[in-house]
Amino acid sequence: MNPTGDSAAPESGDPQAGRAGAPDDIAPAPAEIRVRPGEPLAGELEIGGAKNSVLKLLAATTLAEGLSTLRRVPRIADVTTMIELLQSFGCGAWFSDDDVLHVEVPERLEPHASYDLVSRMRASIAVLGPLLARCGEAMVALPGGDDFGSRPIDMHLSALERLGVDIDVSHGYVHARASVLKGEEVSLAWPSVGATENIMMAATAAEGRTVIHNAAREPEIADLAAFLNRMGAEVLGAGSPTITINGGGPLAPVDHTPVPDRIETAVFLAAVGIAGGEITLRGAQPGHLRMLCDKLGEMNLRTSTIKGGLWAMAPQRLRATEIVTLPYPGVATDYQPLLVAMLSLAEGVGLVTENVFANRFRYVGELVRMGADIRVEGRCAIVRGRERLSGAPVRATDIRAGAALVVAGLGAEGETIVRDTHHISRGHEDLVGKLQSLGADVAWVPAG
Ligand code: EPU
C-alpha cells in the first residue's frame, strides 16, 4: 500500500536553538538566515544525536519512575516542546551539560497531552503508547495535518485497539483507556515509523507477546528498542520487518546515548555537494546512510567511511540522477528536499519520486524563485540542472525544506535570505554555526 493517498537576531549563533531546554526564557526575536556563495567548504564538524530518536526516547523515559539520562541531545526547539510535554505530565527535565538531559519521572503522571503542545509538534503523538503503558489511560490531542499532507494516525490507533485499548476520538482528542494491555499480532499496512514506535512502547506493558509485522526498520527504531531493552524490556528483531515484544516486566530508568542524526549528516553532504570542497563529519554513522551515499556516488560526490565518521569530497559539478524515496533502508523522504536542491545545480535532468508523503514538494516554489528549473507532476519532480541559481528571499516551509533552501543558497549568485527560520530551528542544531565552521558564508540577520 502507498500511504500518500493513492489507495532573534545576532550575526552568528542560532537565536532559537540556543534556547532549547529553557522554556522560561523570553522568546527570541525573529531572525532570517543570509547565505552567499563562497569558497569551497573545508574542515570537520560533529554530528549531533538524531532528533527523531531523541524525541521518542524522551517519550519512553515516562515508562519508568526515576531518573533517566540522555546524552548527545541536540538543542533544538522540538526537544524543548517534548520537555514541556513531559513537564506537563509532572516530570522534571533539565540539562546538566550542553547536551546531557535528565528526566525525573514521578510515580504518578498526569496523562494529558494538550492541543497547545501537540499542535506545535506532531511527534508528540509518541507519548500515547508510553502513557497507556504507565497509566492505563491517556488523553492526547489529535496532531492534525501539516505541511506535507493530512498525516493520519489511523495505524497507531487500530494497532492499540488490537492490544485491548478502548479508543474514543472526540472534540479533537484521542481518549484511550485500557484496564489491561494484551499482547497481540499486529500487521501494519505500511511500515509507519510513529505507529511502530507507539506499539513497541505500549507493548512493553502488555501481558504476553506482541508481534509487529511490516514494522518500520529505521535506525531510530533500533535505537528505541535498545533503549527499552536497557530499561529491562524484551524487544527482539528491531531493524527487521518483524519486531517481537515480550511485555509485562518491570522497567527501570536508564542512561543512553542516541544514534547520530543521519538527516543532519545529509544536510552537510548536500552543502559540500553544492558549494564544493572536502569535509569530515565526525560521529556520523555511514552504516545508516548506505543508500544515500550510493545515490550521492551516482551524482559524483565521493564519500568514504573513516574511523569515527564520514568523509566527503565534491566533484567540479554534480551529475543528475533518479531518486525514489522509500521507507528505510531506502532513500529517506527527509533527504528529498536536499537532493532536489542538489539536482537543481547538477548537470542533466533529475527525476525525483516521493513515495512516503502525499504533498512534500511545497517548498519547490521557493527553489524556483531562486531560478531552479523544476516541474512537479503529482508525486514526481523533474529537475533540470542549472549552472547557478540566483539568490532571492525565500520561505522555509518545513524543517527539512528550510535546511535545503539554506544549502541551495551556497550555489546561488548574490544573497539568499531564508525566512520563517523557526522551522529550521525546530530540527537543526546550530545549522548556521556549523556551516560557518566549514567556511560557508552564512549568518543570522535580523528579520527585514
Ligand atoms: N501514515 C498513515 N497512517 C498512520 C501513520 C502514518 O497513513 O497511522 C502515513 C503517513 O501519512 C505518511 C506515511 O504513512 O504518508 C509515513 O508516515 P510515518 O508514520 O512513517 O511517519 P511519522 O512517524 O509521522 C517520521 C519522522 C518524519 C519522517 C517519517 C518517515 C519523526 C518525529 N518524524 O514521521 O520526519 O519523514 O517518519 O520516515 O520521527 C522530520 O524529521 O522532519 C520528519 C518529518
Side-chain angles (χ1 to χ4, degrees):
M1 171 193 151
N2 173 351
T4 58
D6 309 339
S7 86
E11 275 277 302
S12 65
D14 183 338
Q16 287 153 13
R19 301 290 174 162
D24 294 338
D25 282 1
I26 299 159
E32 300 171 349
I33 297 175
R34 185 195 64 211
V35 193
R36 296 177 180 139
E39 295 299 308
L41 303 187
E44 55 179 66
L45 57 79
E46 187 79 33
I47 296 298
K51 166 181 89 79
N52 289 346
S53 203
V54 168
L55 296 175
K56 322 310 167 56
L57 300 178
L58 284 172
T61 60
T62 60
L63 288 166
E65 183 189 341
L67 184 67
S68 277
T69 298
L70 282 182
R71 296 170 192 277
R72 194 157 66 187
V73 174
R75 296 295 196 115
I76 52 176
D78 275 10
V79 166
T80 304
T81 302
M82 188 53 93
I83 287 173
E84 288 182 47
L85 205 48
L86 296 180
Q87 287 169 337
S88 76
F89 303 154
C91 301
W94 65 95
F95 280 96
S96 69
D97 204 345
D98 244 13
D99 62 355
V100 181
L101 179 57
H102 306 279
V103 181
E104 176 73 47
V105 180
E107 187 189 344
R108 289 178 67 81
L109 292 170
E110 180 59 50
H112 176 204
S114 72
Y115 179 60
D116 173 41
L117 291 168
V118 176
S119 61
R120 267 199 245 161
M121 180 183 75
R122 272 190 56 88
S124 308
I125 195 67
V127 301
L128 182 58
L131 286 179
L132 273 167
R134 219 14 238 299
C135 312
E137 60 174 326
M139 188 173 152
V140 178
L142 282 169
D146 74 0
D147 287 319
F148 31 92
S150 64
R151 298 186 71 178
I153 53 163
D154 54 318
M155 286 190 247
H156 302 234
L157 301 186
S158 56
L160 290 171
E161 279 178 331
R162 282 192 68 81
L163 301 194
V165 181
D166 282 330
I167 292 188
D168 168 48
V169 180
S170 55
H171 306 294
Y173 276 82
V174 177
H175 304 256
R177 187 179 291 272
S179 45
V180 188
L181 285 163
K182 288 200 181 307
E184 254 299 347
E185 305 259 333
V186 176
S187 293
L188 295 177
W190 174 270
S192 155
V193 172
T196 302
E197 290 163 338
N198 254 329
I199 304 162
M200 277 165 70
M201 291 189 276
T204 59
E207 283 176 1
R209 196 169 72 147
T210 299
V211 182
I212 310 173
H213 299 284
N214 199 24
R217 298 160 63 185
E218 273 68 4
E220 294 76 23
I221 300 280
D223 200 22
L224 177 60
F227 184 86
L228 296 173
N229 287 339
R230 194 168 277 177
M231 289 178 110
E234 202 178 318
V235 181
L236 311 166
S240 82
T242 308
I243 300 178
T244 303
I245 304 107
N246 293 315
L251 301 185
V254 289
D255 187 323
H256 183 84
T257 303
V259 290
D261 200 313
R262 61 201 164 96
I263 308 164
E264 184 187 31
T265 307
V267 170
F268 297 109
L269 294 174
V272 75
I274 288 173
E278 182 182 337
I279 60 169
T280 298
L281 302 172
R282 284 194 313 270
Q285 173 54 267
H288 295 168
L289 290 146
R290 279 211 185 92
M291 204 69 98
L292 176 69
C293 288
D294 285 354
K295 276 290 151 195
L296 296 177
E298 287 173 24
M299 296 174 79
N300 277 351
L301 182 86
R302 283 175 59 196
T303 56
S304 174
T305 300
I306 54 162
K307 192 165 180 283
L310 185 66
W311 167 92
M313 189 169 84
Q316 202 65 351
R317 188 171 176 204
L318 295 165
R319 192 172 60 192
T321 189
E322 277 192 30
I323 288 153
V324 176
T325 68
L326 283 170
Y328 194 83
V331 174
T333 171
D334 297 310
Y335 305 144
Q336 184 255 97
L338 296 164
L339 291 162
V340 170
M342 292 170 89
L343 290 171
S344 301
L345 286 150
E347 193 175 349
V349 181
L351 180 64
V352 180
T353 307
E354 170 59 51
N355 284 313
V356 180
F357 287 108
N359 185 16
R360 208 172 183 168
F361 284 126
R362 266 195 55 196
Y363 67 91
V364 158
E366 303 299 304
L367 276 178
V368 169
R369 296 197 71 254
M370 295 173 68
D373 182 350
I374 307 171
R375 208 175 72 230
V376 175
E377 286 185 4
R379 289 188 290 110
C380 295
I382 301 144
V383 190
R384 285 172 216 284
R386 289 256 156 97
E387 288 238 9
R388 252 8 219 162
L389 296 179
S390 130
V394 287
R395 287 191 182 283
T397 51
D398 66 74
I399 302 176
R400 310 308 179 184
L405 292 170
V406 171
V407 299
L410 298 172
E413 270 159 21
E415 251 180 38
T416 297
I417 300 286
V418 182
R419 297 188 173 149
D420 290 349
T421 53
H422 58 279
H423 288 294
I424 298 175
S425 301
R426 281 188 53 194
H428 292 281
E429 182 182 48
D430 194 18
L431 176 63
V432 167
K434 287 184 175 181
L435 284 170
Q436 284 171 343
S437 76
L438 299 176
D441 188 352
V442 181
W444 284 105
V445 293

